[in-house]
Structure formats: structure tokens, C-alpha cells
Amino acid sequence: MATYLMFGNYSQDAVKKISPERTDKAFALIKKQGGVVKAGYALLGENDLLLIVDLPGTEQAIKVSVALSKMLGMSFTTSPAVTVEDFDRMMEEL
């Protein structure tokens, strides 16, 4: 499994539909793609939402990002993340 950071931004219409039920549906969509939500945070500033998810790979990350955008009316920027330890190990191999 790979870790992805998903930064979301609400549209004005999406803000009106915020609910625990909608959150449950979004998390179920992630699970359907083989993913696990490790954490979710509401933010102030440049982004409105951060989801930290584990997914099997890039294909599933793209599917989740697009499907959540369609379902929630939000835009997402999805970025792969590696631990600092894994990053250091990768750099040793150069």
C-alpha cells in the first residue's frame, strides 16, 4: 500500500451539503478502491480538507480523487507521500 495526501477545496455548493453521512459515503468509496483512511482533517487556509489515505497504487489514487470530486463537488490535489526513513533509504541508493 502507498500513502497519499489528498488536499480538498470546497465549492460553495459543496459547503451546503457537509454532513457525517456524506463523509461516510466518501470513506466507503475509498474502501471500495482497496483503500484505508488513516486520518482526515478540516483545515483553515489554502486548503479546506486533508485526507491521509493508503491505497494499492496510483491507478486507485486517480480513481478515488476523481470519484470524490464528482461525489462531493470538491476539487482534490492528490500527492504520493513516503516516510522520511524511506526517503533517506532511497537517497542512499543514488
Side-chain angles (χ1 to χ4, degrees):
M1 292 279 251
T3 300
Y4 294 87
L5 304 179
M6 300 184 69
F7 293 94
N9 290 302
Y10 287 106
S11 66
Q12 285 187 320
D13 188 51
V15 169
K16 297 173 189 174
K17 298 176 184 176
I18 294 171
S19 72
E21 295 79 21
R22 191 173 82 161
T23 300
D24 291 342
K25 287 180 183 178
F27 287 8
L29 185 150
I30 293 166
K31 186 175 181 179
K32 183 177 178 183
Q33 287 296 321
V36 176
V37 178
K38 294 174 74 175
Y41 299 95
L43 306 173
L44 296 174
E46 187 176 334
N47 297 291
D48 300 316
L49 181 70
L50 168 63
L51 299 177
I52 302 172
V53 300
D54 281 349
L55 290 158
T58 303
E59 180 178 336
Q60 291 79 17
I62 292 170
K63 287 180 179 180
V64 165
S65 186
V66 171
L68 285 178
S69 293
K70 289 172 70 174
M71 174 193 286
L72 304 176
M74 298 177 66
S75 60
F76 280 93
T77 301
T78 303
S79 301
V82 296
T83 64
V84 173
E85 295 81 13
D86 286 342
F87 178 78
D88 287 343
R89 188 171 36 259
M90 288 177 209
M91 295 302 105
E92 286 177 351
E93 297 172 4
L94 289 180

